Each structure stands twice: as C-alpha cells, then as structure tokens.
Amino acid sequence: ESEDSLRVLAVNILGRFLLNRDNNIRYVALNTLSRCIVENLTGEEGADGIGASADDDEDGTNSAASALQRHRTTVVDCLKDPDISIRQRALELIYHLVNRDNVETLTAELLNYLVLCPREHRAEICARVLRVVDRFSPSDRWRVDTLVTMLTIAGRECARQVQSSAIVYISRSSEDLRAYATHKLLKAVRDDDGSQRGLLVVGIWCVGEYGDLLLKPYTYTPPSSAGNLTEMAEAEAANEGEEPV
C-alpha cells in the first residue's frame, strides 16, 4: 500500500512537470510516467500495453493509472508539440490512459494525430488503435465508424491485419450493421483518390459481398453517442441521397 501511495505521489509530481516549458524536463517526465504506469499495469492487463479497465480504476488496483487520468488533458496537449520526441512519448502514454470511460475522446485524438504524424509511424498507430477498439468499443456502430475513418486516413500504411480485422468484424455483424458499413465504405471509396489501398481492399470486398444491401435502404438506428466520429443525422442525410449501384 505504501508503494502504491509513493507511485501516486510520483505521478502527480511528474504530471506538474509536463507544464514546464523546457522540453528536456517534459521528455523526462513523459518517459518516467510511461515506465511508472507500465510497471503498475504489468500482470494486470496482458501484453498489449493498452490502458486499465474501468473496473480496475474503481477497485483502486490501478491507483497510479487513476492518478494519471487527472493529467490527461496535459498529456494530450503534448501531441501538438513541434518536437517529435515529445509527441512520441505522449502517444505511448495515451495508450495507457485509454479506458471505457474515455475511449471515444482519446481515440478521436489518436485519429487526429494519425493525420499529422510521419507516414512511417502510421502502421504502428493503426495497430494500437485497433487493439483499443477491440477492447473498449462502446458500440458496434462506433467501431465501424472508427475503423472506416482510420482506413480513410491511413489505408495506404496500415497493415493487412487491420484490413482483415475490419472485414472479419463486418462479416460477423448483423445485416443492418453490414448494410451501414457497406454504404459508408462505398461513400469513402468514392471520395478517395485511390491512394488508400487498405480502404479499397475493405470497401471492394464489402461491396462485392454485400452489394445487394446497397439496393435497399437500411434501418440500423442504434442510440446516438456524443463521441461518434460520424453523426447519425449526417449519415441518414447522405443515405437518402445515395444512388443504387
């Protein structure tokens, strides 16, 4: 218990260091926070390095991770730093911050960073986002929205595992969700310039497999979530104007 208390104290002190303007101090703080959280989570969440569950936070077994949540906004702001080493350290820390309560907000931040990050880093970020989605997805529709958005941004760089996972998930979904995903992918492929290969692979597979669903309106209307990457009203408006293929 005393060790946990010291770890929480260390997290709070290091969190204040993130407000320092000296990048050397911020880098050391981010790096030390990552090591502290990884050690705290070792043996509790497996080998994927993704954040603690909400249940762990409630039970207090991840007290250091809970303390880090108080500095979440500061860590996310580090993704906007001009220094790439700061951004990379912050990115690693954000993976450990994700839980069921903040998955929509932090995934949106990761996707925003995916747009701006160097291309050579995109494959790893896509793989991490996929694990976050698999573990903490709050709804089926949100999962589809996130996967399609990720393929739209980094379909050229994402690994085949990401493409395969998207296809497998859609194929195992209900007919209504398959229709929603196929309509959404068709629109994304039409809007793309042909450079996002991963998007084309998943989109063409779905159109080939579920093309008949494009000929009729779909009725997938789950409860709307404030964190959805695509608002339901916009999707419905787009579908009304969609012409059959």
Side-chain angles (χ1 to χ4, degrees):
E1 184 176 350
S2 59
E3 184 177 342
D4 285 341
S5 299
L6 288 174
R7 188 176 281 115
V8 170
L9 179 61
V11 167
N12 288 329
I13 293 173
L14 290 167
R16 289 196 290 271
F17 284 170
L18 295 179
L19 299 173
N20 197 294
R21 294 186 178 183
D22 188 325
N23 272 6
N24 292 322
I25 293 177
R26 296 169 72 202
Y27 179 86
V28 171
L30 288 167
N31 195 45
T32 308
L33 280 169
S34 291
R35 292 173 59 186
C36 179
I37 297 302
V38 168
E39 290 175 4
N40 189 54
L41 297 177
T42 298
E44 295 176 4
E45 62 181 73
D48 60 2
I50 303 301
S53 69
D55 293 337
D56 287 339
D57 287 342
E58 290 173 1
D59 295 340
T61 56
N62 278 319
S63 52
S66 299
L68 182 58
Q69 292 291 342
R70 292 194 286 270
H71 305 284
R72 186 176 68 207
T73 302
T74 306
V75 174
V76 170
D77 285 343
C78 290
L79 287 179
K80 304 169 187 175
D81 195 277
D83 189 333
I84 190 171
S85 62
I86 296 292
R87 298 200 304 269
Q88 287 299 104
R89 291 291 87 195
L91 188 65
E92 188 66 31
L93 199 51
I94 286 173
Y95 295 135
H96 299 299
L97 281 168
V98 180
N99 59 35
R100 291 185 181 88
D101 295 328
N102 61 30
V103 61
E104 295 176 82
T105 300
L106 289 186
T107 301
E109 293 290 349
L110 291 173
L111 292 175
N112 287 336
Y113 181 69
L114 190 60
V115 176
L116 304 173
C117 73
R119 292 189 182 278
E120 59 268 23
H121 296 161
R122 288 184 172 181
E124 180 185 357
I125 295 174
C126 287
R128 295 287 193 106
V129 170
L130 179 64
R131 291 200 289 272
V132 166
V133 169
D134 283 342
R135 183 170 183 182
F136 297 118
S137 177
S139 70
D140 293 336
R141 173 170 170 158
W142 182 86
R143 186 192 297 254
V144 169
D145 285 343
T146 302
L147 291 175
V148 174
T149 299
M150 184 166 65
L151 290 169
T152 302
I153 297 170
R156 179 166 42 190
E157 293 85 13
C158 69
R160 289 186 178 181
Q161 178 190 0
V162 175
Q163 303 168 29
S164 300
S165 296
I167 289 173
V168 169
Y169 176 71
I170 293 171
S171 68
R172 293 177 178 176
S173 300
S174 65
E175 181 174 313
D176 286 343
L177 187 59
R178 288 200 297 266
Y180 172 76
T182 304
H183 276 273
K184 189 174 182 69
L185 282 163
L186 177 61
K187 183 179 186 305
V189 169
R190 283 177 168 176
D191 293 341
D192 185 58
D193 60 3
S195 63
Q196 303 295 353
R197 183 180 180 278
L199 175 65
L200 293 176
V201 168
V202 178
I204 291 173
W205 185 90
C206 286
V207 170
E209 194 72 16
Y210 309 118
D212 59 308
L213 299 178
L214 295 171
L215 302 177
K216 55 185 178 181
Y218 61 87
T219 57
Y220 185 72
T221 54
S224 180
S225 172
N228 278 347
L229 297 173
T230 304
E231 294 297 329
M232 185 177 295
E234 294 178 355
E236 290 176 352
N239 293 331
E240 289 176 1
E242 189 76 75
E243 296 180 359
V245 176

